[in-house]
Amino acid sequence: MKLLFDTHLLLWAAIRPDRLPPIARGLIEDAGNDILFSAASIWEVSIKKALGRPDFQVDSRLFRQGLLGAGYNELPITSAHAVAINNLPSLHKDPFDRLLIAQAMVEDLYLVTADPLVGRYPGPIRLV
C-alpha cells in the first residue's frame, strides 16, 4: 500500500519515535507498504523553522536525507496537486496540510495523519 505521511508523523518518526502512534509505527514497519513524504513537508519544516516555531527546530536538509536513508520515497509537488486544492472544502486553513490532502487524492495514496481535523476531509485519509 502507498502511504503519504504528514509532516508531524514524519518528524516524530525521525526525531521523537516515542510520540509516534502505534498504528503509524506498524504501517512504517510493514515491508509491504511504500512510505512516501512530500516535498511540501520539507518546505513546511524549512519555513516554520525560519519563523522560530519550537516544534520545527530541525535542519530540513538533514531531515530529508534521513527520510531518504530510511527508505521513504519523495513525492514532488506538481501543478495538478495545486489545482486539486480548489476542490477541497474549507475545513482546515493550513496550506501544507491542504496540499498533502490534494496530493493523496491526485496520486491515489492514503494520507496518514494524527490530526483529527485533517481526518475530517473526504478521500483517502487514514487517521492514526
Side-chain angles (χ1 to χ4, degrees):
M1 183 168 26
K2 287 188 167 195
L3 304 170
L4 176 62
F5 272 60
D6 78 2
T7 307
H8 272 101
L9 289 178
L10 291 169
L11 285 168
W12 293 340
I15 299 165
R16 296 282 314 271
D18 57 303
R19 295 203 55 196
L20 197 61
I23 294 171
R25 184 176 298 111
L27 291 170
I28 291 170
E29 292 172 355
D30 184 340
N33 291 332
D34 184 12
I35 309 298
L36 293 97
F37 68 94
S38 173
S41 291
I42 305 305
W43 181 24
E44 180 178 14
V45 167
S46 294
I47 287 175
K48 291 183 177 178
K49 179 181 181 183
L51 293 172
R53 287 267 308 261
D55 52 339
F56 285 88
Q57 293 305 305
V58 61
D59 181 311
S60 57
R61 183 182 54 81
L62 295 175
F63 181 49
R64 179 180 179 271
Q65 287 176 347
L67 293 172
L68 291 169
Y72 299 3
N73 293 304
E74 184 173 358
L75 178 63
I77 300 167
T78 69
S79 58
H81 301 147
V83 169
I85 292 170
N86 290 329
N87 299 324
L88 296 176
S90 295
L91 302 175
H92 197 22
K93 302 297 181 198
D94 185 304
F96 299 106
D97 286 340
R98 291 176 60 80
L99 181 54
L100 293 175
I101 295 162
Q103 285 185 297
M105 293 171 70
V106 169
E107 301 297 331
D108 196 27
L109 309 167
Y110 282 98
L111 174 61
V112 182
T113 183
D115 185 335
L117 192 54
V118 172
R120 291 180 45 207
Y121 277 89
I125 298 172
R126 174 102 189 249
L127 189 60
V128 295

